[in-house]
Amino acid sequence: EIVLTQSPGTLSLSPGERATLSCRASQRVSSNYLAWYQQKPGQAPRVLMTGASSRATGIPDRFSGSGSGTDFTLTISRLEPEDFAVYYCQQYGSAPPITFGGGTKVEIK
Amino acid sequence: QVHLVQSGAEVKKPGSSVKVSCMSSGGTFNSYTISWVRQAPGQGLEWMGKIIPVLSIANYAQRFQGRVTITANTSTSTVYMELSSLRSDDTAVYYCAKGGGRVWLDPWGLGTLVTVSS
């Protein structure tokens, strides 16, 4: 099973600042089958990035993803008020199970 | 555009079972995989298993093996997740989502809260 470790656990930033979230895998994620999700309180997760670096439909370009192998990053170039949420990485490439990281909470400083 | 509608909240006793449904509309039901993911209060996301409805082939996360059963009814475009031998730590929101098996999860249902309490 691929274990995903996200850091930091919490990121305290102000609107307009840049957010950099990390996701490290315990073994190589094949074909970059790595997705990022955003979750707001009381809502289901929403996919942001797939294939490590492709924005999902309707996701603004202030969100970008990068990385390969075992190290992946989600960057939010300039935080908007609606971006304060919890973010999860997920690998979907290996045989079951799919696994998620523990999440990074981006909170208003 | 696929839309997933889940059944309503449940309250169950420890030791009992719960069966949550997820009805799909839009898209071609037989052409995709449906996964189940749960989230305990204040906790992260945990994948439980998936099914390919057209084949009725299901795969489960190791930690739920023997306790979870995922089935599908292609005539009603509905997937079911049944969890047995419920414990208090099974209290969680259970989500269905399209995807799994080299496909990301999108869209998601709104979730079904299952509360296990004596």
Side-chain angles (χ1 to χ4, degrees):
Chain A
E1 172 175 324
I2 296 178
V3 176
L4 299 178
T5 302
Q6 291 188 241
S7 62
T10 302
L11 205 47
S12 298
L13 295 168
S14 301
E17 290 194 292
R18 181 184 187 90
T20 303
L21 288 67
S22 173
C23 175
R24 178 161 290 175
S26 61
Q27 53 189 287
R28 181 180 163 274
V29 176
S30 61
S31 301
N32 285 347
Y33 286 131
L34 192 287
W36 289 92
Y37 298 84
Q38 177 193 68
Q39 187 179 34
K40 297 180 180 178
Q43 296 184 17
R46 165 176 86 137
V47 67
L48 299 175
M49 310 293 303
T50 63
S53 59
S54 297
R55 273 187 300 277
T57 302
I59 302 303
D61 61 7
R62 63 180 180 273
F63 290 90
S64 63
S66 62
S68 64
T70 60
D71 287 290
F72 300 88
T73 301
L74 175 71
T75 302
I76 311 170
S77 58
R78 286 177 56 85
L79 282 164
E80 297 287 340
E82 63 266 28
D83 299 335
F84 291 91
V86 180
Y87 294 83
Y88 295 95
C89 59
Q90 175 222 11
Q91 68 79 23
Y92 53 96
S94 69
I98 288 170
T99 51
F100 290 90
T104 291
K105 181 179 182 180
V106 178
E107 65 176 22
I108 299 176
K109 186 174 181 180
Chain B
Q1 184 85 352
V2 173
H3 184 57
L4 301 176
V5 178
Q6 297 186 224
S7 50
E10 303 261 13
V11 179
K12 293 292 183 180
K13 300 284 189 190
S16 67
S17 298
V18 68
K19 192 170 187 177
V20 181
S21 67
C22 171
M23 186 174 70
S24 174
S25 62
T28 305
F29 183 68
N30 285 344
S31 68
Y32 49 80
T33 300
I34 296 287
S35 286
W36 287 90
V37 176
R38 80 175 187 180
Q39 186 171 39
Q43 302 301 308
L45 302 168
E46 183 174 32
W47 182 80
M48 300 178 68
K50 65 179 177 71
I51 189 167
I52 305 171
V54 66
L55 301 175
S56 280
I57 293 176
N59 299 103
Y60 305 114
Q62 179 97 13
R63 64 166 294 185
F64 296 105
Q65 285 275 3
R67 270 212 312 144
V68 68
T69 304
I70 300 174
T71 56
N73 183 331
T74 54
S75 63
T76 60
S77 299
T78 302
V79 172
Y80 300 91
M81 186 283 299
E82 184 169 22
L83 188 62
S84 62
S85 302
L86 289 169
R87 309 182 290 253
S88 58
D89 61 359
D90 290 317
T91 294
V93 175
Y94 290 77
Y95 295 101
C96 62
K98 172 178 165 286
R102 303 199 172 188
V103 179
W104 57 89
L105 302 182
D106 180 60
W108 296 57
L110 295 181
T112 297
L113 175 62
V114 175
T115 302
V116 182
S117 173
S118 54

